[in-house]
Amino acid sequence: MPTLGTGEENALLRRSLSLDAVPERATARVVADSRYILFVNGSEVSRGPVRGDLSKLCYDELDLAPHLRQGANAIAIHARYYAVATPWWAPARPAIGLGRRGAVAFELDLGEGEWLGSDASWRSLLADAWRPLEREGVSAIPREDVDASRLPVGWQQPDFDDSAWPAAVVINPLSIGGDARVQSPPSNPYGALRRRPIPQLEGETCNPGVVRAWRVASVPVTEPPPDAAFSDERREVVGEIDVGSALPASLDGEGTRLVRLDFGRIVSGTVAMEVDAPPGVEIELAVRETESPPQTDVLDPTSASSFRYRTRGRDDVFESFDPMGFRFALLAVRGASDPVTLRRFQVHERLYPVRPGPEFFCSDPILERIYEVGKRSVAINAHDAYLDCPSREQRGWTGDAVVHQMVHLTTNADWGLARWHPEMSSSPRPDGMLPMAAGSDLEPVSVTIPEWPLHWIRSLWNLWRYTGDRDLVARLLPGAESVLRWFLPYIGDQGLVCHVEQWVLIDWAALHLSDTSSCLNAQWARALLEFAEMSEWLGDRGRAGWARERHAAIREAFELFWDEARGSYVDHAVDGEPRRPMSQHAGATAVWAQLVPEDRIPRVLDTILDRTRLVRSTWAEITGQQYLALGPGDPTWDVENEIVAAQPFYRYVVHDAVASAGRCEAIPALCRDWQEFLDRGETSWPELWEGGTHCHGWGSTPTRDLVMYTLGIQPAEPGFAVARVAPRLGDLDWAGGAAPTPHGLIRIRADRTRVEIESPVPVELDLPGLEPRRLAAGRHVESIG
């Protein structure tokens, strides 16, 4: 394992080899701490490793034969060691020899017993072209500052002269109980290295649609001057330009040229740039989701993603190491009186693959558009984990991902990431609870969002139903039990969980959660039911019985929250006394968790779906982010007559509650609430109804629901051994589409009179007004009514 040094470092590693003939297959395995880019003969081949707990580090395996050629070849690796935790990487618990600095391991099987490994024959350069920029704000995303004059041109190519580079240093992986061998990973502290569980990320190359330029006199752009400085005499808008044309000269020959590029929608990937410029020109990038006027558009020094590049004067081609998410890119070009030409500015999207086939179409074009935008919202957040957003944080939150996963299970024929994210998140703390975001800077923090692992249990339950993978469920179920038992010490005199001194979030909505939260208890109850079902499937009646007993106790105690006069459940109780605030969340979660007496369910749903009583509000709007530490402020709504509405994320629970009560006909109308985003010009779903980021995958519930509830395609038995098809069109004239299963696509088209089904597995058909019945695999046309 060649060393990368200490602190945040970038290392360039090269190995030349000559081949008399290219082997039919050349299997390579590569891994790094922290991340790497692998090149063969100048072409990028792979990036990795995937995020996760470094004690369960994954290596990448790939075939290099298509990239090799007869004669001279070069294998090159750009490895970056972050040193300080990032949103997608946390340092290993170090051993004596490894885990304290960056490292790379590589091996290549050339056939007939010939191997190439990561040994002292490699050449290495600890590059001083990179200087780390300070990380700002909540994102903590690493930013790059690159001086291209100190970066060798063509170092990935076979003809590059690396004779002046020193030999790579081979690390002796000393560890208590080890044998100091360097030839045979696994090595402590990385554990038994695992093969990468998901494919390499891929995607299209995106070009900006509109490029605008303006010029500025000597204004310090990174320290915006007073508003008066943004007058026409200091800043002049040039107008639209073409990529490939020279940028306008600055007003005084010394100032800044600004270029704003609009990609038309939020994109997610690495930024590639090519410029013609004199040496020493500084080009700084800041990105954002939304547009601002030229008079106020300045580089934000706290931009979550950015880079700074200094030109070498020739061969100025650069691509960011880490991905970014944005719609608008703002470039500031400084320090050049001679012409500067932006030859290329692109985003190479690096997203989890989406296999074609699944689709949805219907009589309402708005719902078709909502379905597609939901798919796109999840796609730009599907990297090596499900992200909250590609722009602000890029963390793989434990709870957010449940919606992303459900969208993939219903719209993507590749379920690799749907499986991987729950496995990646299964990184229990010593107390048995899961972290807020595994494989990140938040993994070691003491605080957690206690209901996020309950959503994680839901994602495991989803995998049980959709994949029927007995080994996967059995492997992860003990972690689910640990999460559920974590709550036991918090049970109070009322028989309910109370005084949970963690970040109880539920949703960004303005909920009252102090002391004894109805939502938290109901979520715990739902997770207990899901755990019981999976345990029974595995034949563990004892654990299933324990979970059902606990659920029954919660159901009995939950009556504390019932408000007979208003027809639903209140948000919380203090010192055993129910308080007045009420939300959609409380009633919906109670129905979803099967805590509501059967005869009461219609009344609860009528109450929480009454649009005349719903009010949208968040504590961030009322008190700012200080509420996270100081608690919520005073309600600004009528707590007696109004009900706080769920934000986009928690609508998945609301819709599940509606469906569980047999009201799937209401789903199309509920999904149209997302039309307001389309009317505002959104191309991916925002985090909140008002505010937050503009590309949160957790708001994509309608995409799942239009398949699961409107087309009615779900597993009737684990692994889709039998499918359930129960179309409920609501106010639609017709709808159709295709949904993935492990056995192939299920296709359906339904209108008011008949339904057409094509299925690779037997189907439990449930049509309105008819008794359910079993159909064999194949194609069927059935009448309705």
Side-chain angles (χ1 to χ4, degrees), residues 3-39:
T3 181
L4 304 188
T6 58
E8 182 170 336
E9 302 284 0
N10 286 267
L12 311 181
L13 304 166
R14 281 180 48 87
R15 177 63 159 83
S16 299
L17 71 154
S18 180
L19 297 175
D20 293 333
V22 176
E24 184 176 336
R25 181 174 178 83
T27 300
R29 299 178 184 88
V30 58
V31 69
D33 182 0
S34 307
R35 281 191 168 179
Y36 77 87
I37 308 173
L38 174 67
F39 303 89

Side-chain angles (χ1 to χ4, degrees), residues 138-309:
V138 69
S139 70
I141 291 177
R143 300 183 293 161
E144 292 183 83
D145 187 344
V146 184
D147 184 349
S149 68
R150 308 187 70 83
L151 183 62
V153 175
W155 67 273
Q156 310 100 323
Q157 299 291 343
D159 58 356
F160 178 79
D161 182 6
D162 60 12
S163 59
W165 287 20
V169 177
V170 177
I171 302 173
N172 190 337
L174 294 175
S175 176
I176 294 175
D179 56 13
R181 289 191 301 164
V182 298
Q183 295 90 355
S184 57
S187 296
N188 189 32
Y190 304 119
L193 300 183
R194 296 157 168 80
R195 184 175 178 178
R196 182 186 180 104
I198 59 174
Q200 286 285 320
L201 305 183
E202 60 184 40
E204 62 184 39
T205 296
C206 304
N207 294 289
V210 178
V211 182
R212 295 183 62 83
W214 55 98
R215 48 192 185 173
V216 188
S218 298
V219 177
V221 179
T222 55
E223 298 178 9
D227 290 344
F230 287 112
S231 64
D232 289 341
E233 63 185 19
R234 300 298 300 274
R235 176 176 290 213
E236 178 182 299
V237 178
V238 175
E240 294 187 14
I241 64 171
D242 295 323
V243 173
S245 60
L247 301 185
S250 59
L251 287 173
D252 57 6
E254 299 178 358
T256 301
R257 312 162 210 205
L258 296 177
V259 181
R260 185 174 65 209
L261 304 100
D262 179 3
F263 282 80
R265 64 177 184 176
I266 290 177
V267 292
S268 179
T270 51
V271 174
M273 177 181 70
E274 181 179 357
V275 296
D276 290 343
V281 174
E282 181 179 280
I283 302 174
E284 188 168 0
L285 168 73
V287 297
R288 57 190 304 158
E289 298 174 340
T290 56
E291 186 174 18
S292 60
Q295 290 76 16
T296 60
D297 210 344
V298 297
L299 287 186
D300 180 0
T302 64
S303 175
S305 299
S306 63
F307 63 69
R308 186 180 298 147
Y309 179 86

Side-chain angles (χ1 to χ4, degrees), residues 335-364:
S337 55
D338 294 333
V340 174
T341 300
L342 183 63
R343 292 290 179 195
R344 178 168 59 92
F345 191 92
Q346 299 172 318
V347 172
H348 295 154
E349 290 205 311
R350 300 182 184 276
L351 309 175
Y352 190 83
V354 176
R355 284 173 53 191
E359 59 182 340
F360 173 81
F361 44 87
C362 70
S363 56
D364 184 351

